[in-house]
Amino acid sequence: MTKPLLQIALDSLTLEKAVADAKQAEDVVEIIEVGTILACAEGMKAVKTLRALHPNHIIVCDLKTTDGGAILAKMAFESGADWLTVSAAAHPATKAACKKVADEFNAANPTLKVKKEIQIEIYGNWTFEDAKEWVELGVKQAIYHRSRDAELAGKGWVAEDIEKMKTLSEIGLELSITGGIIPQDIHLFKEIKNTKAFIAGRALVGSTGKETANAIREEIAKYW
Amino acid sequence: MTKPLLQIALDSLTLEKAVADAKQAEDVVEIIEVGTILACAEGMKAVKTLRALHPNHIIVCDLKTTDGGAILAKMAFESGADWLTVSAAAHPATKAACKKVADEFNAANPTLKVKKEIQIEIYGNWTFEDAKEWVELGVKQAIYHRSRDAELAGKGWVAEDIEKMKTLSEIGLELSITGGIIPQDIHLFKEIKNTKAFIAGRALVGSTGKETANAIREEIAKYW
């Protein structure tokens, strides 16, 4: 049970804003994510720039890959991403294509400090049977979102979310958890053994961003 | 039953290649799509550039939007896209957010020649009940892919694909059809009344691209 990492999701519309936000957060996060919005706005230039500025951070490229897996994975990894998100809704062949590209990168670069990995981002109608298939494919990581409806309705995490995450963890997936993460919620996840990371976006930027990040880190240290 | 349109999907890794391919195809297609790969590689610059170069074509931005719907839709439409793809796996709230942005654009610009629309791109575990919900939301269009497994295995379109498309059409969705489209296959779809467009990529570029496009158009003219 390793200590969960903290990940900042950069979802600004411009690279200039993103590099400023990343710079401010660099001392308090282990993972920097080029969010879907930033990636769609600026393209792979965003990944390349953040890779160059943060050589010692894990860089996630959040494309929520749904098709064209081999090409998108190659593009993201060559641009400097360590981890790539792949939509749970993608066809199994697309997931397999992304995984294959990651494996080939790792085989060709045996000294990589951080291995290339794909993360299944859980969206749509999915089942635990699907999750077992991901593990059988060799996938190690998944991303769990709080129900957006719940979030928009101002509801907190519900027991059903926690139970699903526990089951996914038992199936063998390391989980990154996201959806309005605040320091006060961290204790809710203490029973999820394979918590890989907590992902936050706007909470970690602006004048209170660093303070919030440190508060989350303190909570993590209490429970893991 | 209007005549289906022809759409070129630009999925190159560079904008330079994409603008060349679009220029070659402009006389034989009604719709130019900034494919996911191109959008992820070059960002919204790709949409803006193709919009500027092709003011009289319908421009599709294929983000397969899965989350962050309001922001991505605003970004794509402001960059010049007419239609935006949204993943079937996206949460209903995400689809609704994209639809709302399109509706607001249309209301603010009553003289638009081509109305902003979203297209549900069918991926993942979906049901006809889901499709009815899309129609209830006011969505008019969906994109149907041939099974990738079938395509990779060299299998053609199967009766099950055609039946599903007929049902989707009856539910009230206009369909864009994609997945290794060749002229010889067009007749297969003649019973799908609401065929909005056929989408092809590599088949429409290179030395035989224009010839293939014209052959597809001739087949369309035979059956619609």
Side-chain angles (χ1 to χ4, degrees), chain A residues 41 44 67 91 123 125 148, chain B residues 41 43-44 67 123 125 148-149:
Chain A
M44 284 303 106
D67 207 344
H91 193 281
Y123 278 104
N125 305 329
R148 181 164 299 261
Chain B
M44 284 303 107
D67 206 344
Y123 278 104
N125 304 330
R148 179 166 298 262
D149 269 351

Side-chain angles (χ1 to χ4, degrees), chain B residues 37-224:
Chain B
I37 290 165
L38 177 60
C40 291
E42 296 276 16
M44 284 303 107
K45 187 173 64 169
V47 177
K48 290 176 192 166
T49 303
L50 285 154
R51 172 79 291 164
L53 290 169
H54 301 284
N56 298 316
H57 282 73
I58 294 170
I59 300 282
V60 171
C61 181
D62 181 23
L63 297 185
K64 307 192 202 306
T65 312
T66 308
D67 206 344
I71 294 172
L72 286 175
K74 188 163 183 282
M75 186 172 82
F77 291 141
E78 283 182 350
S79 297
D82 299 302
W83 299 344
L84 169 70
T85 65
V86 178
S87 174
H91 193 280
T94 300
K95 296 187 186 89
C98 293
K99 179 70 170 66
K100 184 163 175 263
V101 172
D103 291 346
E104 286 169 354
F105 257 88
N106 293 332
N109 301 281
T111 60
L112 275 182
K113 275 193 297 181
V114 177
K115 296 245 180 267
K116 306 290 185 192
E117 287 192 33
I118 65 167
Q119 302 176 292
I120 303 295
E121 195 151 2
I122 298 177
Y123 278 104
N125 304 330
W126 63 283
T127 66
F128 290 118
E129 285 307 308
D130 294 334
K132 284 174 194 164
E133 282 182 23
W134 310 336
V135 172
E136 278 163 26
L137 179 63
V139 170
K140 290 184 180 159
Q141 297 194 58
I143 298 171
Y144 191 95
H145 292 250
R146 175 152 53 129
S147 151
R148 179 166 298 262
D149 269 351
E151 195 179 340
L152 290 176
K155 286 183 200 159
W157 291 87
V158 293
E160 195 191 341
D161 286 318
I162 309 293
E163 286 308 312
K164 282 184 182 172
M165 282 188 265
K166 276 191 200 168
T167 305
L168 288 166
S169 172
E170 282 157 16
I171 285 172
L173 290 162
E174 299 169 329
L175 294 180
S176 290
I177 303 172
T178 183
I181 291 287
I182 51 173
Q184 297 85 326
D185 282 348
I186 298 297
H187 73 96
L188 297 172
F189 310 105
K190 63 189 176 192
E191 287 173 16
I192 301 158
K193 290 187 183 168
N194 286 325
T195 303
K196 182 77 170 188
F198 291 102
I199 308 172
R202 275 167 291 183
L204 303 187
V205 304
S207 59
T208 58
K210 219 158 178 171
E211 190 185 323
T212 304
N214 280 322
I216 294 175
R217 299 182 77 86
E218 279 170 30
E219 288 297 301
I220 291 174
K222 272 189 211 167
Y223 300 105
W224 278 272

Side-chain angles (χ1 to χ4, degrees), chain A residues 71-114:
Chain A
I71 295 172
L72 286 175
K74 188 164 183 281
M75 185 172 84
F77 291 141
E78 282 181 352
S79 297
D82 298 302
W83 300 343
L84 169 70
T85 65
V86 178
S87 174
H91 193 281
T94 301
K95 297 189 186 90
C98 293
K99 178 70 170 65
K100 184 164 175 264
V101 171
D103 291 345
E104 286 169 356
F105 256 87
N106 293 332
N109 301 281
T111 59
L112 275 182
K113 273 193 297 182
V114 178

